[in-house]
Amino acid sequence: MINMASFRWFLPFLLLALSPSTFLPLHAMPPPPPLHCNQTDCTLYNSYGVWGDRKDCRVRTTVYPTTEEELRLAVANATRAKLKVKVVTKFSHTIPKLACPSTAAAAPPGNSMLISTEKYDSRIVVDVPNLAVTADSGVGLRAVIDAVEEAGLSLVAAPYWEGVSVGGVISTGGHGSSWWGKGGAVHDHVIGLSLIVPAKESEGFAKIIRLEPKNPLFNAVKVSLGMLGVISQVCFLFVFNWVHQNGSI
């Protein structure tokens, strides 16, 4: 037990230890890029740095489209060459190995390719009258939230990590914790999306289809894990900020 004399001796050291000036500044850092390429091939890592089977994911090549047309051409070239393709995002925040187009652990197969949406992140269109925003699938969730907040809108639900892309967060079923309205799943607030799928040679080997809720494929495509095509654009339904501020949600 500490008596008063001992406490008076100990108090200055306690205050010094608790002083803000004694703490070092902390800086948050984003995850490293998931793709590492050399002159021969590329290796894909997940956010944990290792896959569940402890085997690397290696592919022959990776493309970085910047527009929807470039994304369509990437799918078309892969279709023409009969390549196995998967789409990865800027941070590849994933645990299972679904993002890997091949399970080969040795030399990467020549028929595999990755499409990265890291540089496909420039388009965000806010439609205030319709409470909607359309964004390229590679746009980060934080960028979307910032854009709609400037217009007086707010996203109903979102996951805790804002580094996810809009295409990735809906196709993997990312969610928040809201019970209001349609709930906390981000994909339940999607009102439209564009999907790039393989096509016939007469159609250029790939085509863009626009989907709305009335389309029977809409719900399947929203949470498709990238298995039904490449999501190129996503349209979300938002609410006015005052709805959040007044506690209506």
Side-chain angles (χ1 to χ4, degrees):
M1 185 173 182
I2 301 177
N3 56 37
M4 289 301 297
S6 299
F7 182 75
R8 284 196 297 268
W9 176 85
F10 178 72
L11 182 59
F13 295 96
L14 179 62
L15 294 176
L16 179 62
L18 296 178
S19 173
S21 62
T22 63
F23 294 103
L24 296 176
L26 299 178
H27 301 281
M29 295 182 61
L35 277 167
H36 298 267
C37 299
N38 54 35
Q39 295 180 347
T40 58
D41 56 53
C42 297
T43 302
L44 174 68
Y45 299 92
N46 63 5
S47 55
Y48 293 90
V50 63
W51 299 104
D53 59 4
R54 301 300 190 270
K55 299 176 181 178
D56 288 341
C57 172
R58 300 173 63 192
V59 296
R60 283 294 183 193
T61 184
T62 301
V63 294
Y64 292 84
T66 60
T67 65
E68 188 176 46
E69 177 58 17
E70 289 182 3
L71 185 59
R72 189 198 68 81
L73 289 175
V75 176
N77 292 334
T79 303
R80 183 187 296 108
K82 295 180 170 45
L83 302 180
K84 294 181 179 180
V85 181
K86 288 293 180 71
V87 179
V88 295
T89 58
K90 184 176 182 178
F91 294 127
S92 189
H93 192 65
T94 178
I95 299 175
K97 212 173 183 179
L98 293 174
C100 189
S102 175
T103 57
N111 65 338
S112 62
M113 185 181 81
L114 286 173
I115 298 176
S116 173
T117 60
E118 177 180 354
K119 299 179 181 179
Y120 180 52
D121 61 352
S122 61
R123 186 173 181 267
I124 303 176
V125 179
V126 181
D127 182 1
V128 177
N130 292 311
L131 300 179
V133 60
T134 302
D136 292 340
S137 64
V139 172
L141 186 61
R142 179 72 261 173
V144 173
I145 293 174
D146 289 343
V148 299
E149 283 184 346
E150 291 181 1
L153 302 179
S154 180
L155 181 62
V156 175
Y160 74 94
W161 192 56
E162 299 170 342
V164 293
S165 66
V166 296
V169 72
I170 67 165
S171 62
T172 57
H175 59 86
S177 57
S178 174
W179 286 89
W180 180 84
K182 296 182 178 181
V186 180
H187 61 266
D188 283 335
H189 301 275
V190 173
I191 57 175
L193 56 81
S194 299
L195 187 73
I196 300 178
V197 297
K200 301 176 182 179
E201 181 178 358
S202 59
E203 297 175 298
F205 291 102
K207 62 182 179 180
I208 303 171
I209 56 177
R210 314 291 183 184
L211 299 176
E212 298 179 349
K214 62 183 180 181
N215 191 297
L217 295 177
F218 186 72
N219 287 331
V221 171
K222 284 194 299 182
V223 195
S224 59
L225 296 174
M227 303 301 291
L228 300 180
V230 180
I231 295 175
S232 60
Q233 292 182 4
V234 182
C235 183
F236 293 99
L237 181 66
F238 285 74
V239 297
F240 285 113
N241 275 342
W242 61 264
V243 177
H244 275 161
Q245 295 168 357
N246 291 342
S248 300
I249 293 182

PDB file of all heavy atoms in Angstrom, residues 206-227:
ATOM      1  N   ALA A 206     -16.369  -9.089 -76.145  1.00  0.00           N
ATOM      2  CA  ALA A 206     -16.814  -8.649 -74.821  1.00  0.00           C
ATOM      3  C   ALA A 206     -17.827  -7.531 -75.004  1.00  0.00           C
ATOM      4  O   ALA A 206     -17.727  -6.729 -75.936  1.00  0.00           O
ATOM      5  CB  ALA A 206     -15.644  -8.158 -73.974  1.00  0.00           C
ATOM      6  N   LYS A 207     -18.799  -7.471 -74.087  1.00  0.00           N
ATOM      7  CA  LYS A 207     -19.824  -6.432 -74.177  1.00  0.00           C
ATOM      8  C   LYS A 207     -20.206  -5.953 -72.783  1.00  0.00           C
ATOM      9  O   LYS A 207     -19.987  -6.639 -71.786  1.00  0.00           O
ATOM     10  CB  LYS A 207     -21.057  -6.946 -74.920  1.00  0.00           C
ATOM     11  CG  LYS A 207     -21.742  -8.123 -74.238  1.00  0.00           C
ATOM     12  CD  LYS A 207     -22.928  -8.608 -75.073  1.00  0.00           C
ATOM     13  CE  LYS A 207     -23.611  -9.801 -74.412  1.00  0.00           C
ATOM     14  NZ  LYS A 207     -24.767 -10.285 -75.223  1.00  0.00           N
ATOM     15  N   ILE A 208     -20.778  -4.757 -72.740  1.00  0.00           N
ATOM     16  CA  ILE A 208     -21.214  -4.143 -71.482  1.00  0.00           C
ATOM     17  C   ILE A 208     -22.728  -4.253 -71.389  1.00  0.00           C
ATOM     18  O   ILE A 208     -23.440  -3.872 -72.324  1.00  0.00           O
ATOM     19  CB  ILE A 208     -20.799  -2.665 -71.409  1.00  0.00           C
ATOM     20  CG1 ILE A 208     -19.287  -2.529 -71.563  1.00  0.00           C
ATOM     21  CG2 ILE A 208     -21.257  -2.047 -70.088  1.00  0.00           C
ATOM     22  CD1 ILE A 208     -18.822  -1.089 -71.713  1.00  0.00           C
ATOM     23  N   ILE A 209     -23.208  -4.790 -70.281  1.00  0.00           N
ATOM     24  CA  ILE A 209     -24.649  -4.855 -70.066  1.00  0.00           C
ATOM     25  C   ILE A 209     -24.997  -4.004 -68.845  1.00  0.00           C
ATOM     26  O   ILE A 209     -24.283  -4.017 -67.836  1.00  0.00           O
ATOM     27  CB  ILE A 209     -25.151  -6.299 -69.882  1.00  0.00           C
ATOM     28  CG1 ILE A 209     -24.424  -7.008 -68.737  1.00  0.00           C
ATOM     29  CG2 ILE A 209     -24.965  -7.090 -71.162  1.00  0.00           C
ATOM     30  CD1 ILE A 209     -24.935  -8.414 -68.485  1.00  0.00           C
ATOM     31  N   ARG A 210     -26.067  -3.242 -68.941  1.00  0.00           N
ATOM     32  CA  ARG A 210     -26.529  -2.368 -67.872  1.00  0.00           C
ATOM     33  C   ARG A 210     -27.688  -3.071 -67.154  1.00  0.00           C
ATOM     34  O   ARG A 210     -28.658  -3.467 -67.796  1.00  0.00           O
ATOM     35  CB  ARG A 210     -26.979  -1.015 -68.401  1.00  0.00           C
ATOM     36  CG  ARG A 210     -26.027  -0.362 -69.400  1.00  0.00           C
ATOM     37  CD  ARG A 210     -24.730   0.088 -68.762  1.00  0.00           C
ATOM     38  NE  ARG A 210     -23.879   0.774 -69.751  1.00  0.00           N
ATOM     39  CZ  ARG A 210     -22.658   1.209 -69.497  1.00  0.00           C
ATOM     40  NH1 ARG A 210     -22.130   1.034 -68.294  1.00  0.00           N
ATOM     41  NH2 ARG A 210     -21.933   1.802 -70.433  1.00  0.00           N
ATOM     42  N   LEU A 211     -27.587  -3.194 -65.869  1.00  0.00           N
ATOM     43  CA  LEU A 211     -28.587  -3.929 -65.106  1.00  0.00           C
ATOM     44  C   LEU A 211     -29.287  -3.027 -64.097  1.00  0.00           C
ATOM     45  O   LEU A 211     -28.656  -2.188 -63.442  1.00  0.00           O
ATOM     46  CB  LEU A 211     -27.940  -5.104 -64.361  1.00  0.00           C
ATOM     47  CG  LEU A 211     -27.266  -6.173 -65.232  1.00  0.00           C
ATOM     48  CD1 LEU A 211     -26.581  -7.209 -64.361  1.00  0.00           C
ATOM     49  CD2 LEU A 211     -28.279  -6.831 -66.153  1.00  0.00           C
ATOM     50  N   GLU A 212     -30.594  -3.214 -63.971  1.00  0.00           N
ATOM     51  CA  GLU A 212     -31.412  -2.517 -62.994  1.00  0.00           C
ATOM     52  C   GLU A 212     -32.140  -3.546 -62.133  1.00  0.00           C
ATOM     53  O   GLU A 212     -32.189  -4.734 -62.486  1.00  0.00           O
ATOM     54  CB  GLU A 212     -32.414  -1.601 -63.710  1.00  0.00           C
ATOM     55  CG  GLU A 212     -31.751  -0.503 -64.539  1.00  0.00           C
ATOM     56  CD  GLU A 212     -32.772   0.367 -65.246  1.00  0.00           C
ATOM     57  OE1 GLU A 212     -33.965  -0.002 -65.258  1.00  0.00           O
ATOM     58  OE2 GLU A 212     -32.365   1.410 -65.790  1.00  0.00           O
ATOM     59  N   PRO A 213     -32.724  -3.118 -61.010  1.00  0.00           N
ATOM     60  CA  PRO A 213     -33.369  -4.074 -60.098  1.00  0.00           C
ATOM     61  C   PRO A 213     -34.420  -4.965 -60.744  1.00  0.00           C
ATOM     62  O   PRO A 213     -34.634  -6.102 -60.292  1.00  0.00           O
ATOM     63  CB  PRO A 213     -33.994  -3.157 -59.040  1.00  0.00           C
ATOM     64  CG  PRO A 213     -33.088  -1.971 -59.004  1.00  0.00           C
ATOM     65  CD  PRO A 213     -32.671  -1.758 -60.423  1.00  0.00           C
ATOM     66  N   LYS A 214     -35.092  -4.497 -61.782  1.00  0.00           N
ATOM     67  CA  LYS A 214     -36.131  -5.309 -62.417  1.00  0.00           C
ATOM     68  C   LYS A 214     -35.546  -6.462 -63.239  1.00  0.00           C
ATOM     69  O   LYS A 214     -36.274  -7.392 -63.613  1.00  0.00           O
ATOM     70  CB  LYS A 214     -37.012  -4.438 -63.307  1.00  0.00           C
ATOM     71  CG  LYS A 214     -36.267  -3.772 -64.460  1.00  0.00           C
ATOM     72  CD  LYS A 214     -37.205  -2.874 -65.254  1.00  0.00           C
ATOM     73  CE  LYS A 214     -36.452  -2.194 -66.409  1.00  0.00           C
ATOM     74  NZ  LYS A 214     -37.353  -1.293 -67.191  1.00  0.00           N
ATOM     75  N   ASN A 215     -34.250  -6.414 -63.536  1.00  0.00           N
ATOM     76  CA  ASN A 215     -33.608  -7.487 -64.292  1.00  0.00           C
ATOM     77  C   ASN A 215     -33.449  -8.725 -63.406  1.00  0.00           C
ATOM     78  O   ASN A 215     -32.980  -8.615 -62.271  1.00  0.00           O
ATOM     79  CB  ASN A 215     -32.239  -7.023 -64.801  1.00  0.00           C
ATOM     80  CG  ASN A 215     -31.639  -7.972 -65.810  1.00  0.00           C
ATOM     81  OD1 ASN A 215     -31.345  -9.126 -65.503  1.00  0.00           O
ATOM     82  ND2 ASN A 215     -31.432  -7.501 -67.036  1.00  0.00           N
ATOM     83  N   PRO A 216     -33.813  -9.917 -63.876  1.00  0.00           N
ATOM     84  CA  PRO A 216     -33.724 -11.118 -63.045  1.00  0.00           C
ATOM     85  C   PRO A 216     -32.306 -11.487 -62.636  1.00  0.00           C
ATOM     86  O   PRO A 216     -32.114 -12.237 -61.673  1.00  0.00           O
ATOM     87  CB  PRO A 216     -34.336 -12.212 -63.940  1.00  0.00           C
ATOM     88  CG  PRO A 216     -34.260 -11.670 -65.341  1.00  0.00           C
ATOM     89  CD  PRO A 216     -34.401 -10.189 -65.206  1.00  0.00           C
ATOM     90  N   LEU A 217     -31.293 -10.959 -63.341  1.00  0.00           N
ATOM     91  CA  LEU A 217     -29.903 -11.251 -63.000  1.00  0.00           C
ATOM     92  C   LEU A 217     -29.330 -10.274 -61.972  1.00  0.00           C
ATOM     93  O   LEU A 217     -28.223 -10.480 -61.471  1.00  0.00           O
ATOM     94  CB  LEU A 217     -29.029 -11.208 -64.259  1.00  0.00           C
ATOM     95  CG  LEU A 217     -29.298 -12.251 -65.335  1.00  0.00           C
ATOM     96  CD1 LEU A 217     -28.394 -12.006 -66.538  1.00  0.00           C
ATOM     97  CD2 LEU A 217     -29.082 -13.655 -64.790  1.00  0.00           C
ATOM     98  N   PHE A 218     -30.078  -9.223 -61.662  1.00  0.00           N
ATOM     99  CA  PHE A 218     -29.543  -8.131 -60.862  1.00  0.00           C
ATOM    100  C   PHE A 218     -29.020  -8.600 -59.500  1.00  0.00           C
ATOM    101  O   PHE A 218     -27.878  -8.312 -59.128  1.00  0.00           O
ATOM    102  CB  PHE A 218     -30.613  -7.060 -60.678  1.00  0.00           C
ATOM    103  CG  PHE A 218     -30.132  -5.818 -59.984  1.00  0.00           C
ATOM    104  CD1 PHE A 218     -29.297  -4.930 -60.635  1.00  0.00           C
ATOM    105  CD2 PHE A 218     -30.523  -5.542 -58.683  1.00  0.00           C
ATOM    106  CE1 PHE A 218     -28.853  -3.774 -60.009  1.00  0.00           C
ATOM    107  CE2 PHE A 218     -30.085  -4.389 -58.045  1.00  0.00           C
ATOM    108  CZ  PHE A 218     -29.250  -3.511 -58.716  1.00  0.00           C
ATOM    109  N   ASN A 219     -29.816  -9.305 -58.734  1.00  0.00           N
ATOM    110  CA  ASN A 219     -29.407  -9.727 -57.392  1.00  0.00           C
ATOM    111  C   ASN A 219     -28.232 -10.698 -57.430  1.00  0.00           C
ATOM    112  O   ASN A 219     -27.364 -10.674 -56.559  1.00  0.00           O
ATOM    113  CB  ASN A 219     -30.584 -10.365 -56.659  1.00  0.00           C
ATOM    114  CG  ASN A 219     -31.615  -9.349 -56.230  1.00  0.00           C
ATOM    115  OD1 ASN A 219     -31.298  -8.195 -55.983  1.00  0.00           O
ATOM    116  ND2 ASN A 219     -32.874  -9.768 -56.163  1.00  0.00           N
ATOM    117  N   ALA A 220     -28.196 -11.556 -58.438  1.00  0.00           N
ATOM    118  CA  ALA A 220     -27.096 -12.518 -58.552  1.00  0.00           C
ATOM    119  C   ALA A 220     -25.782 -11.817 -58.864  1.00  0.00           C
ATOM    120  O   ALA A 220     -24.728 -12.149 -58.310  1.00  0.00           O
ATOM    121  CB  ALA A 220     -27.407 -13.550 -59.629  1.00  0.00           C
ATOM    122  N   VAL A 221     -25.839 -10.809 -59.727  1.00  0.00           N
ATOM    123  CA  VAL A 221     -24.627 -10.100 -60.138  1.00  0.00           C
ATOM    124  C   VAL A 221     -24.070  -9.263 -58.996  1.00  0.00           C
ATOM    125  O   VAL A 221     -22.851  -9.145 -58.832  1.00  0.00           O
ATOM    126  CB  VAL A 221     -24.917  -9.214 -61.366  1.00  0.00           C
ATOM    127  CG1 VAL A 221     -23.735  -8.300 -61.661  1.00  0.00           C
ATOM    128  CG2 VAL A 221     -25.233 -10.078 -62.574  1.00  0.00           C
ATOM    129  N   LYS A 222     -24.936  -8.693 -58.167  1.00  0.00           N
ATOM    130  CA  LYS A 222     -24.474  -7.816 -57.093  1.00  0.00           C
ATOM    131  C   LYS A 222     -23.496  -8.524 -56.157  1.00  0.00           C
ATOM    132  O   LYS A 222     -22.500  -7.944 -55.725  1.00  0.00           O
ATOM    133  CB  LYS A 222     -25.664  -7.294 -56.281  1.00  0.00           C
ATOM    134  CG  LYS A 222     -26.452  -6.203 -56.953  1.00  0.00           C
ATOM    135  CD  LYS A 222     -27.377  -5.512 -55.979  1.00  0.00           C
ATOM    136  CE  LYS A 222     -28.393  -6.449 -55.370  1.00  0.00           C
ATOM    137  NZ  LYS A 222     -29.323  -5.727 -54.462  1.00  0.00           N
ATOM    138  N   VAL A 223     -23.778  -9.776 -55.823  1.00  0.00           N
ATOM    139  CA  VAL A 223     -22.916 -10.514 -54.892  1.00  0.00           C
ATOM    140  C   VAL A 223     -22.387 -11.761 -55.606  1.00  0.00           C
ATOM    141  O   VAL A 223     -22.602 -12.885 -55.177  1.00  0.00           O
ATOM    142  CB  VAL A 223     -23.679 -10.902 -53.606  1.00  0.00           C
ATOM    143  CG1 VAL A 223     -22.712 -11.328 -52.511  1.00  0.00           C
ATOM    144  CG2 VAL A 223     -24.525  -9.755 -53.101  1.00  0.00           C
ATOM    145  N   SER A 224     -21.691 -11.541 -56.695  1.00  0.00           N
ATOM    146  CA  SER A 224     -21.289 -12.646 -57.575  1.00  0.00           C
ATOM    147  C   SER A 224     -19.866 -13.123 -57.354  1.00  0.00           C
ATOM    148  O   SER A 224     -19.420 -14.062 -58.017  1.00  0.00           O
ATOM    149  CB  SER A 224     -21.440 -12.219 -59.035  1.00  0.00           C
ATOM    150  OG  SER A 224     -20.635 -11.073 -59.300  1.00  0.00           O
ATOM    151  N   LEU A 225     -19.106 -12.464 -56.466  1.00  0.00           N
ATOM    152  CA  LEU A 225     -17.708 -12.841 -56.219  1.00  0.00           C
ATOM    153  C   LEU A 225     -16.875 -12.821 -57.497  1.00  0.00           C
ATOM    154  O   LEU A 225     -15.877 -13.539 -57.613  1.00  0.00           O
ATOM    155  CB  LEU A 225     -17.623 -14.232 -55.570  1.00  0.00           C
ATOM    156  CG  LEU A 225     -18.254 -14.357 -54.177  1.00  0.00           C
ATOM    157  CD1 LEU A 225     -18.216 -15.813 -53.725  1.00  0.00           C
ATOM    158  CD2 LEU A 225     -17.534 -13.468 -53.178  1.00  0.00           C
ATOM    159  N   GLY A 226     -17.292 -12.027 -58.464  1.00  0.00           N
ATOM    160  CA  GLY A 226     -16.546 -11.913 -59.709  1.00  0.00           C
ATOM    161  C   GLY A 226     -16.700 -13.084 -60.653  1.00  0.00           C
ATOM    162  O   GLY A 226     -15.961 -13.192 -61.630  1.00  0.00           O
ATOM    163  N   MET A 227     -17.669 -13.946 -60.403  1.00  0.00           N
ATOM    164  CA  MET A 227     -17.812 -15.164 -61.198  1.00  0.00           C
ATOM    165  C   MET A 227     -18.697 -14.982 -62.437  1.00  0.00           C
ATOM    166  O   MET A 227     -18.692 -15.827 -63.325  1.00  0.00           O
ATOM    167  CB  MET A 227     -18.403 -16.280 -60.333  1.00  0.00           C
ATOM    168  CG  MET A 227     -17.591 -16.588 -59.080  1.00  0.00           C
ATOM    169  SD  MET A 227     -15.898 -17.101 -59.443  1.00  0.00           S
ATOM    170  CE  MET A 227     -16.209 -18.705 -60.181  1.00  0.00           C
TER     171      MET A 227
END
